[in-house]
Amino acid sequence: MASPLGPDPGPNRREQARDHAVRAAVEQGLLNAAEPVVALLDTAGIRASAAALTSAFAAVTDAPVLHAFAVKAAPLVPVLRLLYEAGLGVEVASPGELALARAAGVPPARTVLDSPAKTPAELRQALALGVAVNADNLQELARLDALVASAPTASPLGLRVNPQVGAGSIGALSTATATSKFGVALRDEGARDAVVTAYLERPWLTRLHTHTGSQGIPLALMAEGVGAAYALAEEINTKVGRQQIDTLDIGGGLPVNFSSDEDTPTYAAYAELLAASVPGLLDGRYALVTEFGRSLLAKHGTVLARVEYTKTSGGRPIAVTHAGVQVATRTVYAPGSWPLRILAYDADGRPRSGDEVVQDVAGPACFAGDLLATERTLPLLRPDDVVAVPDTGAYYFAHHYAYNSLPRPAVHGFTLTDDGAVSFATVRRAQTLDEIVAESGGQRPDALLREPAPGVPMGT
């Protein structure tokens, strides 16, 4: 059913939808004393982001484009299925991610495999299925030589290159630095010639892949990396004497604004920059693959947590909540790079009012640094209040960090009905204590008490 907020995917609609969902999560008992932290996904918002991506590139090129969602951003099967139904494919980087994509019903023809450490078994499976593969290095190409020679495959095959154009503001997410672990470093001595030769020797190598980075990378640097890959493709095709490279995989990496509900930068802005700076890329000669992840999901996820206690230490109020390092690992360990907004609601799920006070918002883990926010100005939080942490739909609650054996929270998608009611669908239920025990060797409590027979692991 249609949302009473209308189709506008912008910040006003996002804020209103979130307020509806928080109150409904409290009223319907999704957030309670037994499950004091839950995660919500706005399904209409996810669809809107998928539509914005596809329309942005359709506006600048008539060439076929596969928008492959980076599964690592939100490895949840119902999310992958939702995006597939919205017209997207998937980019996977492990056997586990490929299994998730297959469980979601995404066909091999809309799947791309990237990873810097693919095993022979992974490559063999991908080629048997017909999944597109981007080799990370020349040694991997040598493995593909043997596999391609041994059995026919429908897999499009390519090579990842590192244009070495530089870093953004977060070094760990900058993949086109001089010493990045990804791809063939084009500016290293002899590397470019080796890449050209690799294509000349392999007529079946028809794709070229690059990815400059993600959060903290400016659009201009992203476009520069794409431009370097396009120039290399043109050089290779010229030397081959035909268009051997027919597809450019330009990666993803659109950064996300974590300071407000605004979508900045936009897919349209990036597509327009590519059209201006690398016009040949979009003239129809090359099919394209993109691999966006964070930018499709981040703005549509919210973590909710109950405030268990409040206290004052050193004159500063502290609200102790149930959301911390287990759901917001990057923010807790690198708050300067990954700051998150905190929104205050009362115990009924309504936006909290009152005088704003500088306070800390802490998580439940037993170390001092487990803080969602420090010195944050908010209405003074009270026990049983609810804090909402927006912009967490990617790389947050889907990537559980089991500090203190804290359970994985439930994830619920929500939609708004015509009459303004909120309808929830469970994406992933909360982890039980029995499951925590089982994952921690609970079926083998005596495994270390007896000497095993030589060469035979206990419990087998």
Side-chain angles (χ1 to χ4, degrees):
M1 302 177 72
S3 165
L5 305 181
D8 175 21
N12 291 335
R13 185 257 172 214
R14 187 167 293 150
E15 179 182 1
Q16 293 173 44
R18 183 173 54 235
D19 285 349
H20 277 74
V22 172
R23 184 176 176 187
V26 174
E27 291 179 344
Q28 296 183 34
L30 271 63
L31 185 71
N32 55 61
E35 291 189 30
V37 55
V38 299
L40 306 181
L41 283 169
D42 180 353
T43 56
I46 294 171
R47 289 191 182 96
S49 282
L53 171 59
T54 55
S55 63
F57 277 80
V60 296
T61 183
D62 294 327
V65 183
L66 170 62
H67 296 292
F69 172 69
V71 172
K72 56 185 168 288
L76 298 166
V77 170
V79 169
L80 305 184
R81 183 56 175 260
L82 175 65
L83 290 170
Y84 173 60
E85 294 295 329
L88 276 60
V90 292
E91 181 263 344
V92 300
S94 72
E97 290 184 357
L98 178 56
L100 295 177
R102 297 183 72 189
V106 183
R110 299 190 66 79
T111 303
V112 179
L113 172 62
D114 294 319
S115 165
K118 305 180 200 72
T119 65
E122 290 176 62
L123 293 171
R124 193 175 298 111
Q125 180 191 29
L127 269 58
L129 290 172
V131 167
V133 176
N134 288 317
D136 179 78
N137 53 69
L138 299 178
Q139 291 176 7
E140 188 176 335
L141 275 186
R143 285 185 177 178
L144 286 173
D145 286 337
L147 293 171
V148 168
S150 66
T153 179
S155 294
L157 302 174
L159 176 66
R160 179 170 182 169
V161 295
N162 172 12
Q164 295 175 292
V165 293
S169 61
I170 304 176
L173 298 187
S174 299
T175 56
T177 62
T179 57
S180 171
K181 74 176 188 179
F182 293 104
V184 179
L186 283 182
R187 297 183 183 180
D188 282 15
E189 184 176 357
R192 190 182 189 94
D193 289 342
V195 169
V196 173
T197 299
Y199 278 84
L200 292 173
E201 294 175 346
R202 296 170 175 84
W204 44 263
L205 205 54
T206 59
R207 291 189 171 189
L208 186 64
H209 172 45
T210 193
H211 176 69
T212 301
S214 52
Q215 193 68 18
I217 303 293
L219 295 191
L221 192 63
M222 291 171 60
E224 185 180 350
V226 171
Y230 166 75
L232 177 60
E234 292 282 272
E235 177 185 344
I236 291 169
N237 285 340
T238 297
K239 290 186 176 179
V240 172
R242 62 183 179 87
Q243 188 159 356
Q244 176 174 326
I245 297 176
D246 57 24
T247 301
L248 281 167
D249 184 334
I250 63 173
L254 193 77
V256 168
N257 162 34
F258 286 97
S259 64
S260 77
D261 282 320
E262 294 279 353
D263 284 305
T264 53
T266 63
Y267 293 120
Y270 181 46
E272 290 164 4
L273 177 60
L274 290 176
S277 58
V278 198
L281 175 73
L282 305 172
D283 65 10
R285 292 177 296 127
Y286 292 97
L288 297 178
V289 177
T290 72
E291 299 176 357
F292 295 100
R294 178 182 292 105
S295 54
L296 281 161
L297 264 292
K299 305 300 287 185
H300 310 303
T302 303
V303 171
L304 306 184
R306 291 178 65 248
V307 177
E308 194 66 45
Y309 300 111
T310 58
K311 62 177 74 174
T312 300
S313 184
R316 184 185 300 168
I318 303 172
V320 181
T321 81
H322 288 274
V325 72
Q326 85 277 31
V327 291
T329 314
R330 289 181 172 182
T331 293
V332 168
Y333 285 125
S337 296
W338 300 101
L340 288 171
R341 293 181 289 150
I342 305 293
L343 306 176
Y345 294 81
D346 65 21
D348 296 321
R350 301 174 184 272
R352 170 150 298 290
S353 59
D355 293 338
E356 295 193 338
V357 176
V358 174
Q359 55 197 297
D360 292 351
V361 180
C366 287
F367 71 99
D370 187 27
L371 298 164
L372 287 176
T374 58
E375 298 185 79
R376 195 64 62 86
T377 302
L378 297 164
L380 186 62
L381 291 164
R382 305 169 187 172
D384 296 326
D385 276 358
V386 177
V387 295
V389 191
D391 308 329
T392 49
Y395 295 104
Y396 278 91
F397 50 73
H399 295 72
H400 186 69
Y401 178 47
Y403 201 102
N404 285 146
S405 295
L406 292 164
R408 288 188 296 270
V411 179
H412 305 281
F414 71 87
T415 56
L416 300 178
T417 61
D418 283 334
D419 59 2
V422 178
S423 175
F424 291 103
T426 299
V427 173
R428 181 189 71 196
R429 62 175 176 76
Q431 186 181 30
T432 67
L433 297 183
D434 286 344
E435 288 168 337
I436 292 175
V437 172
E439 289 184 1
S440 301
Q443 305 305 313
R444 299 175 175 84
D446 298 331
L448 303 179
L449 302 182
R450 302 187 302 275
E451 286 292 330
V456 180
M458 289 296 293
T460 59

